[in-house]
């Protein structure tokens, strides 16, 4: 593995930046809390005598919370210092988790309490991602954004899909769901503690200059109806940037259709394919999920250890599109191990492309728009996921598992090629190279807002000094 800076492997180079270490610590605790909560809340519902409907209500509360705040999260990330947003989110999640754990320990918890806590946590997640994505370029030089995103991609499946649920399962089995909820509370408290140590960073947008240019003071712009109009204007500006940026628009449209075709079969129909075609059971399903997560984690670390590919847009979209092909195996295979291999291949390619995508946003989107564009990405990814999951069951009942998995596996490759050709992505990526940002001599270069190859900054944000987080 290549090394940079102070002798750290490239994949771990961001940990050489003290401010990022605080953020990474908070991320580890938050992801662990999420993994613990995911399993603990399900078994708490079961302990109360609830069934699939009650579990669905809790899951729906989380999804509704995220959808409700996804676009607002982007506006806030471009208007409020991101550290404050992350700290507020962590504090709210700590309060929700601690209250649920306390009620559980006292024997007073009910399903509505779990739904309410899930809504709060979902709201927090809708605000968290845009703020986190917008903050990274303020902490790290451009050449370390890929390793940072790769490190997150490595940690997320290990903690959310494997480590957190495994610990929660052990605590539930040995004690009760309340013990796992208490552990989630401790992890949430750790996230708050690390964020308190995170230093303040500049807001990479000059709101005072924008207000002055439009003939308003900051105070006037922040009051009453004017503030509401400002929020709507911010959202409209994000959509306008999306419409006039072909690489961004084409990628999100491709991702939107891919999610519709793939997520439902992957999330809803996989256990039925394992049961009906391979004669497997819950343990085999867990093995398939583990293969998906572990392979994704390893792929993230591999991508983080290298520079961005020269043809980064084409590589990214082909990884997503062609990476779906192994899903076709779920429709024809009669062996669980074939499905395990297929899941590992899909997990590896998906996560590798996601690491590139996060880095691409942070390096090519203007700093003043990064929060809003990240929230648009988040919103689009969520928007058709419930539709895909709702359609998967009825469609498979009508036509069978095999056709559904064949379409999910093979159609995205054609969509990927169409996106690359029709949006002229090969021309765009050559005109905006991202593979040549050299590290500073001491490995601690000052971050370059927007990064090498950043797209032009809109007139409202160009060339002005950023406001500091006071």
């Amino acid at each position: 593995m290549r090394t940079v800076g102070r002798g750290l492997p490239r994949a771990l180079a961001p940990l050489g930046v003290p401010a990022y270490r605080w953020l990474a610590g908070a991320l580890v605790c938050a992801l662990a809390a999420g993994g613990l909560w995911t399993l603990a809340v399900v078994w708490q519902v079961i302990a109360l005598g609830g069934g699939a409907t009650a579990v669905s209500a809790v899951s729906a509360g989380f999804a509704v919370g995220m959808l409700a705040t996804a676009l607002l999260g982007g506006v806030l990330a471009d208007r409020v210092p991101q550290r404050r947003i992350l700290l507020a989110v962590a504090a709210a999640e700590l309060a929700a988790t601690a209250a649920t754990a306390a009620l559980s320990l006292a024997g007073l918890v009910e399903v509505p309490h779990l739904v309410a806590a899930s809504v709060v946590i979902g709201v927090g997640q809708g605000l968290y991602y845009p703020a986190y994505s917008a903050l990274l370029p303020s902490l790290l030089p451009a050449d370390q954004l890929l390793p940072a995103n790769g490190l997150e991609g490595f940690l997320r499946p290990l903690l959310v899909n494997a480590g957190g649920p495994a610990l929660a399962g052990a605590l539930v089995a040995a004690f009760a769901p309340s013990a796992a909820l208490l552990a989630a509370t401790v992890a949430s408290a750790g996230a708050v503690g690390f964020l308190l140590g995170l230093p303040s960073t500049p807001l990479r947008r000059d709101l005072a200059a924008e207000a002055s240019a439009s003939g308003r003071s900051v105070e006037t712009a922040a009051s009453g109806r004017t503030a509401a109009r400002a929020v709507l204007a911010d959202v409209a500006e994000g959509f306008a940037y999306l419409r006039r940026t072909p690489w961004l628009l084409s990628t999100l449209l491709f991702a939107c259709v891919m999610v519709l075709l793939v997520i439902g079969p992957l999330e809803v129909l996989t256990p039925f394919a394992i049961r009906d075609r391979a004669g497997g059971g819950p343990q085999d399903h867990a093995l398939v999920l583990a293969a998906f997560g572990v392979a994704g984690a390893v792929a993230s670390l591999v991508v983080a250890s290298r520079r961005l590919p020269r043809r980064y847009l084409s590589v990214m979209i082909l990884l997503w599109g062609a990476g779906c092909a192994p899903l076709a195996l779920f429709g024809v295979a009669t062996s669980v191990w074939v499905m395990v291999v297929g899941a590992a291949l899909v997990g590896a390619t998906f996560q590798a492309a996601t690491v590139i995508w996060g880095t691409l946003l942070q390096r090519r989107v203007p700093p003043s728009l990064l929060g809003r564009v990240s929230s648009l990405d988040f919103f689009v990814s969520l928007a058709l996921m419930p539709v895909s999951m709702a359609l998967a069951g009825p469609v498979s009942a009508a036509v069978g598992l095999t056709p559904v998995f064949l379409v999910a596996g093979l159609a995205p490759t054609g969509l990927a090629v169409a996106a690359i050709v029709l949006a002229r992505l090969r021309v765009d990526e050559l005109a905006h190279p991202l593979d040549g940002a050299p590290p500073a001599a001491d490995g601690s270069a000052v971050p370059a807002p927007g990064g090498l190859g950043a797209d032009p900054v809109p007139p409202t944000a160009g060339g002005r000094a950023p406001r500091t987080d006071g």
Side-chain angles (χ1 to χ4, degrees):
M1 187 178 292
R2 296 180 64 186
T3 61
V4 297
R6 299 170 184 171
L8 289 172
R10 181 174 296 280
L12 303 179
L15 295 175
V17 178
Y20 177 76
R21 288 199 293 270
W22 289 103
L23 182 62
L27 179 66
V28 168
C29 291
L31 293 176
L36 286 159
W37 171 267
T38 298
L39 190 137
V41 73
V42 170
W43 285 97
Q44 182 64 77
V45 169
I46 294 172
L48 294 172
T53 301
V55 173
S56 295
V58 173
S59 300
F62 180 80
V64 167
M66 285 197 297
L67 281 171
T69 55
L71 293 179
L72 176 62
V75 173
L76 291 177
D78 288 337
R79 283 185 166 268
V80 179
Q82 295 92 17
R83 174 182 176 272
R84 297 181 188 175
I85 299 173
L86 297 180
L87 191 54
V89 167
E93 293 186 356
L94 172 60
T97 309
T100 306
L103 289 171
S104 180
L105 287 167
L108 300 174
V109 71
E110 299 290 346
V111 170
H113 300 138
L114 302 175
V115 173
S118 292
V119 170
V120 171
I121 294 173
V123 165
Q125 289 303 298
L127 300 175
Y128 181 93
Y129 174 71
Y132 176 88
S133 184
L135 177 62
L136 272 185
S138 296
L139 301 179
L140 296 171
D143 65 296
Q144 291 189 12
L145 292 174
L146 180 64
N149 287 307
L151 190 59
E152 182 201 355
F154 175 76
L155 292 171
R156 184 173 295 278
L158 289 185
L159 295 174
V160 175
N161 302 122
L167 176 57
L171 291 172
V172 170
F175 303 103
S178 57
L181 292 170
L182 187 60
T185 302
V186 173
S188 296
V192 172
F194 277 108
L195 288 171
L196 288 172
L198 181 68
S200 299
T201 57
L203 181 66
R204 300 192 304 162
R205 181 183 183 189
D206 194 337
L207 294 172
E210 292 183 22
S212 176
S214 61
R216 303 190 310 271
S217 66
V218 175
E219 291 76 13
T220 300
S223 63
R225 294 181 179 178
T226 306
R229 285 196 295 268
V231 169
L232 292 175
D234 273 5
V235 173
E237 187 180 6
F239 275 104
Y241 178 79
L242 172 63
R243 287 195 303 270
R244 68 173 182 266
T245 309
W247 66 265
L248 180 61
L249 180 61
S250 61
T251 302
L252 287 186
L253 289 176
F254 162 76
C256 187
V257 179
M258 183 188 73
V259 164
L260 178 64
L261 294 175
V262 169
I263 294 300
L266 186 62
E267 295 288 340
V268 177
L269 301 181
T270 293
F272 297 99
I274 293 170
R275 184 193 67 184
D276 298 342
R277 296 199 57 82
Q283 290 182 327
D284 299 300
H285 186 204
L287 185 61
V288 169
L289 294 179
F292 183 93
V294 171
V298 173
S300 296
L301 204 59
V302 171
V303 173
S305 302
R306 306 177 64 84
R307 293 193 183 277
L308 277 171
R310 183 71 180 88
R311 299 277 190 175
Y312 54 91
L313 287 167
S314 300
V315 169
M316 176 187 72
I317 290 184
L318 285 174
L319 280 170
W320 270 325
C324 293
L327 284 177
L329 295 174
F330 286 69
V332 297
T334 56
S335 167
V336 169
W337 284 104
V338 173
M339 297 182 185
V340 168
V341 172
L345 292 172
V346 175
T349 53
F350 270 34
Q351 198 57 50
T354 300
V355 171
I356 296 173
W357 175 242
T359 307
L360 171 58
L361 291 181
Q362 291 156 0
R363 293 188 61 180
R364 288 200 59 181
V365 174
S368 62
L369 280 163
L370 182 53
R372 281 165 286 173
V373 171
S374 297
S375 70
L376 283 173
D377 168 38
F378 196 46
F379 183 80
V380 169
S381 298
L382 287 172
L384 290 185
M385 188 180 299
V387 177
S388 179
M389 296 176 76
L391 290 176
V395 172
S396 67
V399 303
L401 286 171
T402 297
V404 174
F405 275 110
L406 288 176
V407 171
L410 302 179
T413 301
L415 291 172
V417 173
I420 292 169
V421 173
L422 295 178
R424 295 169 56 85
L425 296 184
R426 291 172 61 85
V427 175
D428 185 285
E429 61 198 357
L430 289 176
H432 298 85
L434 297 179
D435 60 344
D442 61 356
S444 58
V446 177
L452 177 66
D455 289 348
V457 180
T460 55
R464 301 188 180 99
R467 179 170 67 84
T468 57
D469 177 0

